[in-house]
Amino acid sequence: MVDFNSRILIVGAGAFGTSTAYHLAQRGYKSIRVLDRYEYPSIDAASTDISKIIRFDYNEPLYARLGLESIEAWKSELFDGLYHVPGWVLSAMDLSVPFVKGSIEVSEQLGVSGLEIMTTDQMRQRFPQVKGKLDGWNINVWNPTAGWVASGEAVVRLVEDARAKGVEYISGRRGFAQEVITSQSGECTGVRTLDGTIHSADVVVLAAGAWLPSLIDMEGQLTAKGHSVAHIQLSAEETKHYAPIPIMDNLELGYFFPPTTNGIFKMAHSKFITNHVPIGRNGSVISKPHTFVENPQDGLPKDIEATMRRNLERVFPELANRPFSFTRLCWDADTADRHFLITPHPEHKGLFVAAGGSAHGFKFMPVLGKYIADMLEGKLDADIAESWRWRPGQDVSGKNLAHMDPEMELCDLPGWQGRNRAQFKSREARL
């Protein structure tokens, strides 16, 4: 159990870790230190992005309620100017249709009105910028209350508020966690970082997202998965043309955002990539992030880019052959059932886990730390604690989940290694 004088160490400065630090500081905890390899906003964190979707459409009441709570928090002064509400269309082609239907049912149960099922003809009529056939957009739900937030800047604001309340952030070699330290009795006593520093603590919260399985044995509960993101730079005239579109998200074909004010049109592929590698000497294998920050010469697999362009052609065919101005593999840690993993470690006293964003965690950032703090204080609602418990070996067959397509293994995909080598060398030469 924590108290206000406990030395609290948080590993990871993404959405989970930053929200935890912010809410603990608000509650009056005096000694909070956050470690991350990178300065905030941590450049490889899933949360460090130009935009993330904010919505409540879920087939699980827990997250629908959290979504509604978070939407109110995004409207607060702290995030002024970062939250935008163009509405969104939630769609599916096949495997994710039950999830979309379940989201409608849960919204009705919660008394939320305004959702509307639309045909593809109705979508084109309402949003005349959509010129594609929308083939594969087989169920479509319009939600006028959904929006997006400038996520990287939102993290910065939360960090700066936490720092103003006394939270310490450490980056670089001294912030790059390498090992969780435990005593002979099994109690967690701190973390060792790359420079050899031992950061001693009474409480350690592992919020390292996709990198967490590299730190401790997660018993297969977390899998690092990357999804492919690309930007297209629009002209001023094009930006004005596409500005009225909603967010459009087909859970099997990808999503598209309205352009930012400086003309960045963001899109992504909905199928996930894993990167399994051996670790240690016992033959264990985990999926480990392979990012373009650490590997700037690499790029999107060519087959993935081709699929993204085909999916773009289904909606905005005039953009399908435009060059990508930026690409990224955005990595998060998925659980089998998409529930978060926010729980004490079952073996090591003083060690806690706050992860499992499963490609949907960021939207809850303003409030998520409140629930993590409740977990640390031993007062998390029992039903929520049950959903977020330590739970290896889960059978999720038959569950109506989003993103049900099988993952693709990075090493099986062609055309990504060294794809950006010429661009990388040109940039190095300029420097």
Side-chain angles (χ1 to χ4, degrees), residues 89 91 117-127 130 132-140 248 250 314:
V89 178
S91 303
I117 297 177
M118 302 175 67
T119 66
T120 53
D121 285 341
Q122 289 171 328
M123 288 169 63
R124 279 187 291 265
Q125 184 176 4
R126 182 171 297 186
F127 310 114
V130 176
K133 296 179 179 179
L134 294 174
D135 48 313
W137 291 66
N138 294 335
I139 181 171
N140 310 290
M248 301 184 67
N250 186 304
R314 298 171 189 258

Side-chain angles (χ1 to χ4, degrees), residues 363-382:
K363 65 179 63 65
F364 309 112
M365 186 179 72
V367 303
L368 189 57
K370 178 180 71 172
Y371 295 92
I372 298 171
D374 283 349
M375 181 271 295
L376 294 173
E377 294 176 347
K379 61 183 185 183
L380 182 62
D381 176 88

